[in-house]
Structure formats: structure tokens, C-alpha cells
């Protein structure tokens, strides 16, 4: 998990990101003006890329941080789908992702090749309401496998790849806890991470400059996900070695 405090634009927002480079070649898709992400519906049997999210909208309006987070995850998914020639399914909250498969997490994952996970965390350290069920299901699966030990059989998510991005209040003691937890659980259950979880921090009500800095880091995350997914597809273990070498050079 990549964490870097070197870029601080103000006390109200901290970019936690070793790879921050602003660029005009990429843009965040406005979640309100592009609601139709889907190329396939939830019942499709084709192998798909899907965005799942855990967010905490404000009571009176949509949280600008959550909105930017989900929109960025959707753009990353679009690019991955275009790169791999895969279908792109509708974005779902983590709760609905499990619910539409009859609360069977393994069944929900079965028809997906890639999960793009975007999430926040409550100030109490819990997963958001629309992500809590998914996190609990993953936790139960992990515990069952631990109890079975060698008799557990192949990991249930061994055919799944994924990436995680989180944005949270930097003043919280539990900043990005849900993103860290989901990343760890998916990997423990056999899923293959495209890259380390990207952990960013931001608050609602930030200045225009701070909001722009957060969007730039989300854009860089999009580019990194697509680039590292291509490296893995092209070179297998060789790509992993190159990836690790590149990470060391960056850090």
C-alpha cells in the first residue's frame, strides 16, 4: 500500500500518493452527467469489469469527494475494458453487488474478471453502510478458510483481479481503513491485485486548488492502473518483476 506525505497543498486536504503528476491528457468523468456507464446489465453472463463502491453522501447533497472518487473509478474501468476488450458492467454499491447475487459473494464475483473498488471509511473506522455487507462477507469467507486449513481447497477468487482506491478525511484516526481492509481480504481470498491500493485523503469543503490536486491524483491513479494492468497481461511474472523494480525506482 503506497503512502506518501510529501505533497501537502493545505491542512484541509492531503494527497497521499508517491505518483502524483498532473496531466492535461486525462480528465475525471462527472458522475452526475455520465450516469449510463453500463455496456452489460447485472444479469449478463459475459466476463466483465465492474466498479463497486462504498460511499457516504451527505444528507442534503452528494459528497463532492465521494462523487469524484466513484467517477474516477468508472473512468479507470472504462480504460481497462477498452484495453482488454472486456465488457463493462454497471457500477454498483458493494451492498447491491452482493444483493443482486442473492447475498452470495462468490456468485457475485464469479462473472467478473476485474473489480475496481472505490471506498471511503466512517470517522468511527467502519465501512460505509453501502459497503458493510460486502466487507463482512469477505471476512466470513476468510475465517472459514482459516478454520479449514489445508482442506479449504483452492481460493474462491483465484480468477479475479482487482484494484482499490480510497479517499478519506486525513484527520480521522481510521483514514482509508476500509480500502486497506478490502485490499487485504481480496488478496487473501486469492484475487490478484493489479497494483497496491492507492490511498488518498481529502475533505469536503476544500479549496478549489485542493480539490484540483485531489482530482489530479485520481487521474494519475487511473493511468497507473491501466499501465500496470498492461504490464501484467504482457509479461506475467516478468511484468511483476518489472513492476517491483519500477516501484523501487519511484520510491
Amino acid at each position: 500500500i503506497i503512502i506518501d506525505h510529501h505533497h501537502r497543498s493545505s491542512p484541509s486536504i492531503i494527497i497521499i500518493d508517491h505518483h502524483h503528476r498532473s496531466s492535461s491528457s486525462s480528465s475525471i468523468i462527472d458522475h452526475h452527467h455520465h450516469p449510463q456507464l453500463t455496456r452489460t446489465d447485472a444479469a449478463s453472463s459475459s466476463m466483465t469489469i465492474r466498479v463497486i463502491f462504498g460511499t457516504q453522501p451527505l444528507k442534503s447533497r452528494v459528497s463532492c469527494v465521494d462523487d469524484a472518487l466513484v467517477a474516477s473509478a468508472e473512468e479507470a474501468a472504462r480504460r481497462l475494458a477498452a484495453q482488454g476488450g472486456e465488457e463493462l458492467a454497471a457500477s454498483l454499491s458493494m451492498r447491491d453487488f452482493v444483493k443482486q447475487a442473492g447475498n452470495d459473494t462468490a456468485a457475485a464475483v464469479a462473472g467478473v474478471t476485474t473489480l475496481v473498488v472505490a471506498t471511503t471509511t466512517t470517522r468511527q473506522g467502519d465501512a460505509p453502510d453501502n459497503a458493510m455487507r460486502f466487507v463482512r462477507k469477505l471476512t466470513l469467507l476468510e475465517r472459514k478458510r482459516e478454520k479449514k486449513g489445508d482442506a479449504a481447497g483452492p481460493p474462491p477468487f483465484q480468477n479475479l483481479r482487482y484494484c482499490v482506491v480510497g479517499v478519506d478525511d486525513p484527520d480521522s484516526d481510521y483514514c482509508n481503513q476500509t480500502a486497506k481492509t478490502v485490499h487485504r481480504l481480496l488478496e487473501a481470498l486469492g484475487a490478484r491485485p493489479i497494483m497496491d491500493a492507492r490511498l488518498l485523503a481529502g475533505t469536503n469543503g476544500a479549496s478549489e486548488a485542493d480539490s484540483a490536486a485531489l482530482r489530479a491524483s485520481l487521474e494519475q491513479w487511473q493511468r497507473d492502473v491501466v499501465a500496470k494492468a498492461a504490464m501484467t497481461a504482457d509479461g506475467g511474472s516478468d511484468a511483476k518483476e518489472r513492476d517491483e523494480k519500477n516501484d523501487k525506482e519511484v520510491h
Side-chain angles (χ1 to χ4, degrees):
I1 294 175
I2 303 169
I3 303 178
D4 180 11
H5 292 275
H6 84 277
H7 181 97
R8 295 174 182 265
S9 50
S10 84
S12 62
I13 184 170
I14 303 173
I15 303 302
I16 306 180
D17 182 3
H18 268 305
H19 302 280
H20 175 75
R21 304 179 188 88
S22 60
S23 171
S24 59
S25 62
S26 174
S27 61
I28 296 292
I29 300 296
D30 188 330
H31 194 45
H32 294 303
H33 292 89
H34 298 266
Q36 299 301 320
L37 178 67
T38 182
R39 291 181 192 166
T40 66
D41 60 28
S44 173
S45 61
S46 38
M47 300 304 283
T48 61
I49 293 176
R50 189 187 291 279
V51 173
I52 60 172
F53 57 84
T55 54
Q56 304 173 80
L58 303 178
K59 291 182 179 179
S60 59
R61 61 185 175 84
V62 175
S63 161
C64 61
V65 167
D66 288 353
D67 195 43
L69 175 63
V70 175
S72 182
E74 290 178 348
E75 176 62 11
R78 285 187 183 92
R79 297 182 187 186
L80 287 170
Q83 176 175 272
E86 296 168 287
E87 294 294 331
L88 187 60
S91 301
L92 292 172
S93 71
M94 295 187 212
R95 176 177 54 208
D96 289 341
F97 177 62
V98 175
K99 185 177 180 181
Q100 56 94 27
N103 289 320
D104 185 336
T105 309
V109 170
V112 179
T113 52
T114 304
L115 276 182
V116 179
V117 184
T119 188
T120 59
T121 302
T122 70
R123 291 190 68 85
Q124 291 73 40
D126 299 320
D129 287 345
N130 63 358
M132 193 171 292
R133 180 181 297 180
F134 181 70
V135 175
R136 286 176 177 170
K137 292 282 187 180
L138 294 184
T139 301
L140 287 173
L141 281 174
E142 181 189 40
R143 289 175 180 172
K144 287 179 180 178
R145 288 186 58 77
E146 288 176 347
K147 287 182 179 179
K148 291 182 179 179
D150 294 339
F157 299 162
Q158 61 182 348
N159 295 320
L160 178 72
R161 67 174 185 170
Y162 73 96
C163 57
V164 177
V165 60
V167 176
D168 264 325
D169 183 345
D171 294 328
S172 170
D173 292 336
Y174 305 100
C175 182
N176 282 310
Q177 184 59 52
T178 303
K180 296 174 186 176
T181 298
V182 171
H183 180 89
R184 183 191 67 77
L185 287 169
L186 287 173
E187 189 169 26
L189 293 168
R192 294 165 290 114
I194 294 172
M195 59 182 287
D196 288 336
R198 183 63 53 88
L199 307 178
L200 308 176
T203 58
N204 290 300
S207 69
E208 184 176 343
D210 291 339
S211 296
L214 176 58
R215 288 195 299 272
S217 281
L218 285 169
E219 290 170 2
Q220 184 59 49
W221 169 74
Q222 293 167 18
R223 293 190 291 273
D224 290 345
V225 167
V226 173
K228 295 200 176 188
M231 289 172 63
T232 302
D234 290 343
S237 61
D238 291 339
K240 182 177 180 181
E241 292 177 3
R242 292 197 304 272
D243 194 16
E244 292 173 350
K245 180 181 179 181
N246 289 339
D247 280 343
K248 288 178 181 178
E249 289 175 353
V250 170
H251 302 324

